[in-house]
């Protein structure tokens, strides 16, 4: 188990190390992590593929979104949910990409909202399949358009506890009711 006091700095060091691997043209993310790294990731409810997705997009964007700080903030919300709601016990369920709402599906005239809600719920529970990324380019475009940060949206979805109307009101107003 990782030292909970230093978990964030450990995440940052691991993220930089993974970026170095990626930029050295090592795309075999499974080889990036030793047993200690994997134990650490398990302790915060993270998966190697999730780290790879953020590293790949960050490096491809030359440090722009998603930034290492965004990856850390998203990991922090997932970690908190994992420890508080799941009591440190990972879910055994996987949400396949095919079960997500289609990209053009709308909620009250807002395209992508049903999809990003479903992805955020799966991300919180640690149930994303390896082919799905919370915070992908489509998610980032949605969040930017609505002036929301990926980590903040996760918190809103967590607090709404399945109430999609409450999430909708937040997206429209930027305020929690």
């Amino acid at each position: 188990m990782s030292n909970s006091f230093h978990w964030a700095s450990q995440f940052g060091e691991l993220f930089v190390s993974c970026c170095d691997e990626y930029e050295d043209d090592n795309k075999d993310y499974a080889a990036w992590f030793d047993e200690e790294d994997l134990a650490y990731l398990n302790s915060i409810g993270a998966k190697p593929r999730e780290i790879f997705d953020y590293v790949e997009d960050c490096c491809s964007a030359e440090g722009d979104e998603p930034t290492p700080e965004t990856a850390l903030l998203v990991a922090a919300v997932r970690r908190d949910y994992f420890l508080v709601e799941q009591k440190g016990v990972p879910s055994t369920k996987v949400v396949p990409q095919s079960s997500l709402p289609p990209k053009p599906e709308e909620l009250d005239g807002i395209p992508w909202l049903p999809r990003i809600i479903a992805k955020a719920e799966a991300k919180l529970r640690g149930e994303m399949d390896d082919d799905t990324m919370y915070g992908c380019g489509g998610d980032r475009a949605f969040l930017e358009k609505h002036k929301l940060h990926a980590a903040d949206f996760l918190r809103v979805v967590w607090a709404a506890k399945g109430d999609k109307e409450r999430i909708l009101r937040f997206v429209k107003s930027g305020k929690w009711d």
Side-chain angles (χ1 to χ4, degrees):
M1 177 109 155
S2 69
N3 178 335
S4 62
F5 182 76
H6 295 289
W7 85 267
S9 59
Q10 189 172 355
F11 183 92
E13 291 167 12
L14 185 60
F15 195 87
V16 168
S17 170
C18 292
C19 285
D20 291 345
E21 290 289 338
Y22 186 89
E23 290 178 344
D24 285 343
D25 209 30
N26 178 4
K27 308 299 190 281
D28 179 15
Y29 67 89
W32 295 355
F33 308 102
D34 61 22
E35 280 187 40
E36 185 178 318
D37 295 332
L38 293 172
Y40 162 73
L41 291 175
N42 285 334
S43 78
I44 65 168
K47 298 176 185 175
R49 177 59 190 251
E50 295 170 328
I51 305 302
F52 172 80
D53 287 339
Y54 275 92
V55 165
E56 180 180 48
D57 282 10
C58 179
C59 290
S60 297
E62 298 178 359
D64 200 10
E65 282 300 322
T67 63
E69 294 81 10
T70 293
L72 173 62
L73 290 169
V74 167
V77 179
R78 166 61 187 135
R79 174 185 175 267
D80 291 347
Y81 186 92
F82 178 65
L83 296 175
V84 172
E85 299 291 338
Q86 295 179 291
K87 310 290 188 239
V89 178
S91 173
T92 57
K93 183 179 175 189
V94 175
V95 175
Q97 192 174 54
S98 62
S99 72
L100 295 173
K103 295 173 183 179
E105 188 171 315
E106 298 179 2
L107 179 59
D108 199 32
I110 302 175
W112 202 273
L113 183 55
R115 184 176 183 84
I116 197 170
I117 290 171
K119 288 173 71 176
E121 289 170 339
K123 174 68 174 175
L124 284 168
R125 296 185 306 261
E127 297 174 350
M128 302 287 289
D129 76 354
D130 282 348
D131 295 325
T132 309
M133 176 187 179
Y134 174 76
C136 70
D139 293 347
R140 291 192 302 269
F142 173 89
L143 294 166
E144 184 176 346
K145 178 179 181 178
H146 295 280
K147 298 179 179 22
L148 299 168
H149 190 278
D152 293 337
F153 188 77
L154 277 178
R155 286 186 194 92
V156 166
V157 170
W158 180 1
K161 302 214 182 287
D163 185 344
K164 291 178 181 27
E165 291 300 316
R166 202 164 180 209
I167 298 167
L168 173 65
R169 288 191 302 272
F170 180 84
V171 169
K172 286 183 161 189
S173 72
K175 297 177 187 168
W176 191 247
D177 58 16

